[in-house]
Every structure is written in C-alpha cells, then in structure tokens.
Amino acid sequence: DVERLKKPDWIRVKAATASSRFYEIKDILRANKLVTVCEEASCPNIGECFGKGTATFMIMGDKCTRRCPFCDVGHGRPDPLDVNEPGNLAKTIADLRLSYVVITSVDRDDLRDGGAGHFVECIQKTRALSPNTKIEVLVPDFRGRLEKALNIFADGLPDVMNHNLETVPRLYKEARPGADYKHSLVLLRDFKKMYPSAVTKSGLMVGLGETDEEILEVMRDMREHDIDMLTIGQYLAPTSSHLPVRRYVHPDVFKMFEEKAYEMGFVHAAVGAMVRSSYHADQQAHEAGVA
Ligand code: SF4
Ligand code: SF4
C-alpha cells in the first residue's frame, strides 16, 4: 500500500469561479452534446480556462479503448462515430467565438484510420465557419495505422500537432500500456517532415516515479525528432485508484527544466506544476509564433 504524499503548498487548485462565461460555455456544450477534457479529466484549471473562453474538446466519444492508469477518462467499447459531430463542433466553436481551440480524442483502436479522418473533418468544418481560429489537435498514437493516418491530414492541417509522450520510456509499461515510446516520437517527426508548416508539440507529466535526468533525456529525444513545443506539469492522481503521486516536483526543478528546454532549442516551453498540455494553449502558440 503506497502512503499518500501530502500536497505541497505550491499545488493550488483555483476554485472554479462562477463567471457568467463559465456557465455560458457549459450550457452551449450541453446543448451541442459536446464533451470536453476539462470536465472528463477533472482538470484543475477548468475555472480559469472556461472563464477566459478556452476549452479542449474531446471528439469521438468519452470511452477509450485503452486503459492508462493515470487517466480519468472512461473506458469500454466506444460508440459508433457521430457523423454530426464535426458540424456541431464547428458551430459551437463559432458560437463561442473562440480564437484558439484544442481538439483531442480518446484512443480509437477500433477504427481503421484510428480516427484521423474524423479529426480532419472537424478541422475542415471549423475552418469553414471560423477561418481565423487557430486549431491545435492533440492526437492518439495511431499505432498500427500511422502512415495512413498521417496521409489523411493532408486534407486538413492543424496549426499545431500535439501528441503527448506523457512519461519516460522506463515507465511506459506501467503508465501507458498499449503505447510505445519510439513510435510516439516517430509520429511527431514524420508529421513535421510531411507538413513542415505545422508546429509540433509534446508533453510530459512528472511525479510518476521518473528522475530529473530521465526527463532531460526525453527532452533531448524530442529535439532529435524536431518537436518544437514542450509542456511539463505535475501529475495529480484523479482518485485513489489511479497511479499514486510518487513525488511532487519543486518549482526550482521546473525552472531548471524550462531553462534547459530553451537551451535545447524548443521554440516554446510551458513548464510548471499546474501546466497541462492544453493550458494556455493559445498563449503558448502565440509565444511560439503560431497564433
Ligand atoms: Fe481544459 Fe486544458 Fe484548461 Fe484543463 S488546461 S481546463 S483541459 S483547456
Ligand atoms: Fe486516457 Fe489517452 Fe490513455 Fe485513453 S489513451 S486511457 S484517453 S491517456
């Protein structure tokens, strides 16, 4: 039985402020039957993000075909794709007047293209209604169908292609069963090679049992695979049945990771306890020269 670590005082979850924008977004999401990661993954930044009009949309349902023990998304047999979803998503983004959106999905190992075609349809429909909105996609690993999936993106490119490595290779078996470290790096490298105008991005969590040196090694691997943007945040166990937090990384260490990231040549690095892959995604992209 793992003793639960006490949260240090730099882990502060801001209460979800009941701004009118927050409720406006919730209402519009419900009306259009859209799911957000913000809600599904119990993200601690939801008050702030909804308050300022940012959200991360989760397409292709809320049931994942994988079971990563750090993740709070539901598992099980996924529902068939909702053909109206790309249209509903595009309309919602337009209604909410969002200038920057993140679109992500559960893993859909049941689909022949891993869901790439559905992503592209969402991008196309969103571009049609909101031509000035910047689009970031946070994609699953398309294992077993990578070439097919990457080719499909030629029909609708995102501004930012994000795929999270999540943790160091030594912990993959435990934390990302079904995924492969090298494969995820290759996904981002090949995407960049095929579509050099898009920016690539990846993220890590700390606190799963890795060392600082292992994190630095992953960062070096990322640069060797031409990844432009980086996020690193503290893992917080969603419930006591998820992987336990094995350490809380001190702010000074986050600072060190950030400095090293710029030395290594990342265009942007968002590093800090409460950073999430999509946290201030608009600002990250803006600082990286995208938006
Ligand atoms: Fe949603 Fe990302 Fe903000 Fe969390 S950090 S509330 S997932 S947009
Ligand atoms: Fe969660 Fe992604 Fe793992 Fe599915 S593949 S369980 S959504 S982290």
Side-chain angles (χ1 to χ4, degrees), residues 37-38 43-47 49-50 54-56 276-280:
V37 177
C38 323
C43 181
N45 302 316
I46 189 165
C49 289
F50 276 22
T54 308
T56 298
R276 293 297 175 267
S277 183
S278 56
Y279 182 55
H280 290 173

Side-chain angles (χ1 to χ4, degrees), residues 255-276:
K255 193 90 218 130
M256 181 272 287
F257 289 145
E258 187 183 5
E259 284 167 12
K260 293 276 187 206
Y262 287 112
E263 276 170 31
M264 290 180 199
F266 283 98
V267 181
H268 192 268
V271 181
M274 302 311 281
V275 166
R276 293 297 175 267

Side-chain angles (χ1 to χ4, degrees), residues 233-271:
Q234 171 70 50
Y235 169 63
L236 300 173
T239 70
S240 59
S241 50
H242 288 83
L243 281 183
V245 175
R246 301 224 168 84
R247 64 166 178 162
Y248 286 102
V249 170
H250 191 273
D252 292 346
V253 176
F254 281 117
K255 193 90 218 130
M256 181 272 287
F257 289 145
E258 187 183 5
E259 284 167 12
K260 293 276 187 206
Y262 287 112
E263 276 170 31
M264 290 180 199
F266 283 98
V267 181
H268 192 268
V271 181

Side-chain angles (χ1 to χ4, degrees), residues 58 64-75 105-107 140 166 175-177:
M58 192 155 75
C64 189
T65 49
R66 302 222 188 137
R67 261 171 202 280
C68 305
F70 63 83
C71 175
D72 207 20
V73 168
H75 313 283
S105 76
V106 289
D107 257 66
E166 309 287 10
R176 285 192 80 193

Side-chain angles (χ1 to χ4, degrees), residues 59-60 103-105 115-123 137-140:
I59 57 172
M60 301 193 271
I103 304 172
T104 190
S105 76
H118 198 80
F119 262 105
V120 165
E121 216 185 305
C122 288
I123 293 173
V137 293
L138 171 59
V139 297

